[in-house]
Amino acid sequence: MQSKGVLDCEQWYNSLMKAVCAWLTDRLDQQLHVYQLKTLIKIVKKSYRDFRLQGVLDGTLNNKSYETVYNRLTIEEATAAVSAADGLQGITMRDSDEEEG
């Protein structure tokens, strides 16, 4: 049985991903600026890792909103890699053992 703290974290995580998903949906017809993209990647990856450390289960972490956000950011990342002169400077949605600063 999960504790109340974990359930609160699950609700918080779900709210966060729904908010990011809604923000991206509102801008579906616009490409993200590289700064927006880099910031969102950091927020989403850090949130995922931190909530996982708090005991939120993978089934909750990988919800529909997260999948939608992940897919959009991955597409935006590929577009930015092709069109941006300086790229994303090593910031990516791919998992790695290294934490971004």
Side-chain angles (χ1 to χ4, degrees), residues 47-58:
S47 298
Y48 187 97
R49 288 183 183 128
D50 288 353
F51 281 99
R52 184 178 221 177
L53 287 173
Q54 292 301 319
V56 178
L57 301 175
D58 286 346

Side-chain angles (χ1 to χ4, degrees), residues 18 26 30 32 47 71 77-78 80 82 86:
K18 283 180 184 176
D26 288 345
Q30 302 170 13
L32 297 177
S47 298
N71 290 335
E77 177 186 334
V82 171
D86 62 350

